[in-house]
Amino acid sequence: ILPNEVLIKTMMAPINPADLNILEGTYAALPESLPAIAGTESIGVIAAKGVAVPNTFKVGQQVVAVDVGPLKMMGDEISV
């Protein structure tokens, strides 16, 4: 993990109607390649943090992660 990164263990990631539209090819912003993973938001716990991350973020803290770009950040563990 880089000094300015937070590693989030994803606990839940909803699939919204817009996510389904993206996968169907009917949404304005489409993935660059397929297969793609739907979803741009998740709820999780900070699993690790880099040394430059402010102390307001703590390991074990529950967080909501949101990515405004389509199809960029879902997985068991992600670095944002």
Side-chain angles (χ1 to χ4, degrees):
I1 189 166
L2 296 175
N4 63 340
E5 290 184 328
V6 174
L7 181 70
I8 300 171
K9 179 174 173 96
T10 302
M11 307 305 284
M12 185 180 300
I15 300 295
N16 297 312
D19 301 323
L20 298 175
N21 293 145
I22 290 170
L23 295 175
E24 293 168 343
T26 59
Y27 196 74
L30 299 176
E32 293 180 13
S33 63
L34 295 173
I37 300 171
T40 59
E41 57 201 29
S42 66
I43 299 168
V45 176
I46 295 177
K49 67 177 198 152
V51 295
V53 175
N55 288 331
T56 53
F57 296 99
K58 303 193 183 314
V59 172
Q61 179 181 358
Q62 294 180 343
V63 293
V64 173
V66 177
D67 182 0
V68 294
L71 307 174
K72 292 186 181 174
M73 63 163 258
M74 290 295 115
D76 293 334
E77 291 186 346
I78 55 176
S79 186
V80 294

